[in-house]
Amino acid sequence: FEECTCCIIKPHAIKERLVGTILDNVASRGFVVSAIQTFSLERATAAEFLEVYDGVVPEYKEMVDEMCSGPLVAMEIRLKPTEPHPDEVVEKFRAHCGPWDVSMAEELYSQTIRGLFGRDRIRNAIHCTDLPKDGVVEVEYFFKILTNSHYIDGWK
């Protein structure tokens, strides 16, 4: 839980069978998946994880709906050991993910994960950590809190 960031492959991307392609994309860009787990979130858990967007993003309810619409894949992401400045993993990975708005990602950053695999602002393929200080917090949410609460693979 140091020098890491969180990435979540959203349920729609799993339904579209994009997990392997997204993982290949992440690995090919200098990132390492150091932990990975499938989770199925209940509405209250998805709302808790995304609560920083409540009242800020008009699509908050739809974001929660997407996160609890089926299994998702949570990952702890790090930079490869040969990469300089491992403490910049959140910023570097966020840049690789592209803008939250898929139309902007497709237009200006077409080779980002969202530019390649996103469908719209809600089904934008992945969630990634926004702020550097939140990388470890989001990873711990899934790999400490939820794992210890038995939210793994759709059972509680």
Side-chain angles (χ1 to χ4, degrees):
F1 301 119
E2 294 178 9
E3 297 176 343
C4 62
T5 192
C6 184
C7 177
I8 299 168
I9 301 176
K10 292 184 175 183
H12 82 89
I14 292 173
K15 290 173 191 163
E16 293 177 27
R17 300 180 183 268
L18 293 172
V19 174
T21 305
I22 291 172
L23 289 173
D24 287 345
N25 182 286
V26 168
S28 72
R29 300 289 180 94
F31 299 98
V32 174
V33 176
S34 49
I36 187 168
Q37 181 66 54
T38 303
F39 293 85
S40 291
L41 302 183
E42 295 176 355
R43 173 167 290 289
T45 306
E48 178 181 64
F49 180 73
L50 296 170
E51 76 180 328
V52 297
Y53 301 106
D54 191 9
V56 176
V57 176
E59 296 90 352
Y60 170 75
K61 180 189 172 307
E62 291 82 4
M63 291 169 62
V64 171
D65 291 343
E66 169 62 19
M67 291 288 272
C68 61
S69 68
L72 55 82
V73 174
M75 297 177 282
E76 176 186 58
I77 305 288
R78 298 177 181 278
L79 290 172
K80 289 182 180 176
T82 56
E83 291 286 321
H85 308 290
D87 58 322
E88 295 177 1
V89 65
V90 173
E91 298 96 327
K92 289 180 179 182
F93 190 72
R94 181 150 179 76
H96 175 60
C97 292
W100 175 69
D101 186 328
V102 169
S103 61
M104 182 184 297
E106 290 172 338
E107 183 76 24
L108 301 174
Y109 307 97
S110 61
Q111 295 307 302
T112 62
I113 293 173
R114 290 175 173 148
L116 293 166
F117 309 114
R119 303 295 173 245
D120 55 43
R121 290 172 63 130
I122 304 304
R123 297 173 304 141
N124 58 6
I126 58 167
H127 164 84
C128 65
T129 304
D130 291 338
L131 303 172
K133 65 181 178 65
D134 291 342
V136 171
V137 172
E138 289 191 1
V139 170
E140 286 180 336
Y141 185 82
F142 281 93
F143 293 99
K144 262 188 169 176
I145 296 169
L146 294 187
T147 298
N148 291 336
S149 298
H150 308 291
Y151 274 93
I152 303 171
D153 294 326
W155 59 275
K156 177 181 174 192

